């Protein structure tokens, strides 16, 4: 992604949604379906996509007489959302025409035949040239065709409560250089503020990708190792970095420096972090995403006018402070078209409307997303909309992305199993890593792995 330089100005009022659409497909609809079914996730404090889709429904129907948008909000945590969406896609009676699709599932879902390629539309869409190239790549299937149009991306870092740090006698701004620095700060908070949870790192099967990507991979990619060897296209086993990352989880949870395992395994813990623990001063630090402040904006589910005065951000350090000194993980979501859509031109027109410049910008601001369009990231209103956009855009330079393979979802699940067994004290990091290695071989076969030992 081209790095955007955004200001750290205070929250500014955004212009109202510009509801003009861009129709690339055109096409007559008289003999085609007149209803477009749009499926997306709505869960807890995460209402920004729901708000966006409601606005797009109104705009689209106003522009397209005789066409109706049927919204299908799926109220489920991320893994459950993916399961329910997959079930919908297995029947032509329930399959959506447009769906909210995680970038890491684009390959597996396109391989499964759920998604329609969009290249015939993007080839004639003047807006497509404004999307960053790596954002476009995130929507590619294994066949090299485009199946998803990106809505925004994100980075991850440490959010910390400056007031609690001051009370504990810790230096602000917080700038940890190593994992040890992070755990030392958590230990100090535990000693000085015993009623405060020192540090949250999502972990366990209930958290799905929040645990595997936002928790574990934020650690692993700060070591000398990674999950996947892109050159050989094989999954890595026998990794010291994997064991060390599980060791951090053990230190955190078995050392009483994080939430209790019971709290961590609650599917609603993400909502508790954003809606209660941080605003109410119950949590000192959390490894979390660039979107977090969207919950605290005036239009969010837990408005917190003082959030920018109280909360600070620090880059996640590498394990021992080695180059590049910090690490992050990035993901993102797309809008995709269902392969069984009865009126593909109308489905495309809805996607193009929802992700034109003005509507992309409105969504990115509301959801605290890092823009994937150059004309949005360079817009002065976007730059001024959130004081954290500058920080989170700057760490794009050392961010990492999940392996874009169709078997990643199963690998991710195996990671959460290893994390949970360590956080609950059922296995040592070495035992859990060995069990993970066996699980990976079971998923991809011996030939699909490479050992670093």
């Amino acid at each position: 992604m081209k790095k955007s330089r955004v200001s750290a100005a205070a929250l500014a009022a955004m212009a109202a949604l510009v509801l003009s659409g861009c129709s690339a497909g055109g096409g007559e609809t008289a003999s085609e379906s007149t209803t477009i079914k749009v499926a997306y996730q709505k869960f807890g404090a995460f209402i920004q996509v729901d708000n966006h889709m409601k606005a797009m429904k109104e705009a689209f129907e106003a522009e397209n007489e005789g066409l109706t948008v049927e919204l299908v909000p799926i109220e489920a945590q991320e893994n459950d959302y993916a399961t329910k969406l997959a079930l919908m896609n297995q029947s032509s009676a329930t399959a959506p025409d447009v769906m909210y699709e995680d970038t890491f599932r684009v390959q597996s879902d396109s391989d499964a035949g759920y998604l329609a390629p969009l290249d015939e539309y993007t080839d004639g869409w003047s807006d497509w040239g404004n999307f960053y190239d790596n954002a476009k790549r995130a929507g590619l299937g294994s066949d090299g065709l485009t199946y998803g149009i990106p809505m925004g991306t994100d980075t991850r870092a440490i959010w910390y409560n400056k007031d609690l740090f001051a009370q504990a006698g810790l230096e602000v701004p917080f700038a940890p250089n190593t994992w040890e620095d992070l755990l030392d700060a958590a230990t100090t908070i535990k000693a000085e503020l015993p009623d405060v949870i020192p540090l949250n790192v999502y972990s366990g099967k209930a958290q799905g990708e929040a645990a595997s990507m936002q928790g574990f991979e934020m650690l692993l990619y700060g070591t000398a190792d990674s999950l996947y060897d892109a050159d050989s296209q094989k999954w890595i086993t026998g990794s010291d970095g994997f064991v060390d990352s599980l060791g951090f989880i053990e230190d955190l949870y078995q050392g009483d420096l994080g939430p209790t395992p019971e709290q961590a395994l609650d599917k609603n813990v993400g909502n508790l972090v954003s809606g209660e623990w941080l605003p109410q001063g119950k949590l000192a630090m959390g490894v979390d995403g660039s979107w977090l402040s969207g919950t605290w904006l005036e239009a969010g589910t837990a408005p917190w006018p003082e959030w920018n005065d109280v909360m600070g951000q620090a880059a996640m350090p590498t394990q021992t402070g080695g180059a590049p000194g910090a690490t992050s993980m990035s993901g993102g979501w797309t809008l995709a078209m269902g392969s069984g859509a009865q009126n593909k031109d109308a489905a495309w027109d809805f996607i193009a409307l929802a992700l034109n410049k003005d509507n992309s910008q409105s969504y990115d601001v509301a959801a605290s997303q890092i823009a994937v369009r150059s004309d949005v990231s360079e817009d002065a209103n976007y730059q001024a909309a959130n004081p954290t956009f500058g920080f989170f855009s700057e760490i794009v330079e050392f961010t990492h992305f999940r392996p874009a393979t169709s078997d990643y979802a199963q690998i991710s699940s195996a990671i959460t199993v290893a994390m949970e067994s360590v956080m609950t004290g059922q296995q040592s990091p070495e035992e859990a890593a060995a069990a993970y290695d066996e699980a990976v071989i079971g998923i991809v076969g011996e030939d699909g792995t490479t050992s670093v030992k």
Side-chain angles (χ1 to χ4, degrees):
M1 179 184 294
K2 175 183 174 183
K3 191 166 68 174
S4 58
R5 295 195 173 275
V6 293
S7 69
L11 181 66
M14 292 301 297
L17 280 173
V18 176
L19 299 177
S20 58
C22 173
S23 174
E28 297 180 359
T29 62
S31 61
E32 300 172 315
S33 173
T34 59
T35 299
I36 303 166
K37 187 182 299 181
V38 180
Y40 56 91
Q41 183 189 23
K42 177 186 177 185
F43 180 69
F46 182 59
I47 61 170
Q48 289 90 344
V49 175
D50 185 49
N51 290 340
H52 191 62
M53 294 306 172
K54 287 176 179 175
M56 294 305 98
K57 168 182 167 66
E58 181 180 350
F60 183 85
E61 291 178 350
E63 289 187 358
N64 296 274
E65 185 177 354
L67 292 179
T68 301
V69 175
E70 178 188 345
L71 299 181
V72 186
I74 299 175
E75 299 199 19
Q77 188 260 2
E78 185 172 342
N79 277 11
D80 294 336
Y81 167 73
T83 300
K84 292 181 179 181
L85 188 62
L87 289 172
M88 289 181 67
N89 276 309
Q90 290 173 15
S91 168
S92 59
T94 56
D97 301 289
V98 175
M99 66 194 83
Y100 179 66
E101 177 83 2
D102 198 329
T103 53
F104 92 90
R105 296 187 186 274
V106 167
Q107 284 203 14
S108 58
D109 283 355
S110 59
D111 287 347
Y114 297 153
L115 309 181
L118 301 173
D119 301 77
E120 65 175 296
Y121 295 104
T122 58
D123 286 348
W125 191 31
S126 60
D127 284 37
W128 195 226
N130 292 306
F131 286 78
Y132 293 120
D133 286 342
N134 66 345
K136 293 179 180 179
R137 288 194 293 271
L140 294 179
S142 57
D143 57 5
L145 298 178
T146 296
Y147 288 90
I149 307 301
M151 301 180 72
T153 190
D154 46 49
T155 50
R156 288 155 176 79
I158 302 163
W159 289 82
Y160 67 95
N161 187 307
K162 292 183 283 188
D163 291 347
L164 294 178
F165 265 54
Q167 292 172 36
L170 292 167
E171 185 176 350
V172 174
F174 182 46
N177 293 313
T178 65
W179 290 0
E180 185 177 2
D181 292 343
L182 188 54
L183 290 172
D184 284 348
T187 300
T188 298
I189 290 163
K190 177 179 172 60
E192 299 296 327
L193 304 171
D195 294 331
V196 172
I197 300 169
L199 171 64
N200 179 62
V201 176
Y202 295 108
S203 183
K205 291 181 287 186
Q207 304 313 321
E209 274 301 287
S212 58
M213 182 228 203
Q214 193 161 302
F216 187 82
E217 291 169 52
M218 281 287 285
L219 294 164
L220 180 63
Y221 283 91
T223 73
D225 294 322
S226 61
L227 276 180
Y228 184 76
D229 185 329
D231 292 332
S232 66
Q233 297 185 356
K234 294 184 177 183
W235 293 92
I236 295 171
T237 59
S239 162
D240 289 336
F242 199 99
V243 174
D244 291 346
S245 299
L246 289 176
F248 186 100
I249 296 298
E250 181 180 51
D251 290 342
L252 180 66
Y253 283 97
Q254 293 298 306
D256 295 326
L257 298 177
T260 66
E262 292 76 18
Q263 290 172 317
L265 295 174
D266 181 348
K267 284 190 175 183
N268 291 310
V269 70
N271 294 327
L272 292 173
V273 167
S274 60
E276 296 181 22
W277 290 0
L278 287 174
Q280 296 174 15
K282 297 177 180 178
L283 172 65
M285 294 181 284
V287 177
D288 227 304
S290 51
W291 63 85
L292 195 62
S293 61
T295 302
W296 305 324
L297 301 180
E298 186 176 350
T301 55
W304 182 18
E306 301 81 15
W307 73 268
N308 190 48
D309 296 325
V310 176
M311 297 303 299
Q313 303 82 39
M316 181 70 180
T318 54
Q319 181 178 12
T320 59
T327 187
S328 184
M329 293 297 300
S330 289
W333 291 76
T334 69
L335 288 184
M337 184 190 298
S339 59
Q342 296 301 302
N343 189 340
K344 287 186 168 62
D345 286 349
W348 167 255
D349 287 347
F350 181 88
I351 292 172
L353 168 66
L355 297 180
N356 69 17
K357 192 268 182 182
D358 295 293
N359 292 329
S360 286
Q361 181 165 320
S362 177
Y363 173 74
D364 287 345
V365 169
S368 296
Q369 292 281 292
I370 305 302
V372 293
R373 292 182 59 128
S374 59
D375 51 357
V376 173
S377 67
E378 295 164 4
D379 189 283
N381 287 329
Y382 170 80
Q383 294 176 12
N386 188 310
T388 68
F389 281 169
F391 168 81
F392 283 107
S393 293
E394 290 295 329
I395 61 178
V396 167
E397 66 176 288
F398 45 74
T399 199
H400 301 271
F401 295 85
R402 292 163 289 185
T405 67
S406 58
D407 44 24
Y408 172 79
Q410 292 174 276
I411 303 293
S412 172
S413 179
I415 292 171
T416 66
V417 171
M419 296 180 81
E420 185 166 322
S421 67
V422 169
M423 68 185 284
T424 56
Q426 298 176 64
Q427 288 183 311
S428 69
E430 291 78 9
E431 291 169 337
Y436 165 82
D437 288 348
E438 291 181 9
V440 172
I441 292 171
I443 294 167
V444 303
E446 193 85 49
D447 292 343
T449 67
T450 180
S451 177
V452 293
K453 287 189 176 178

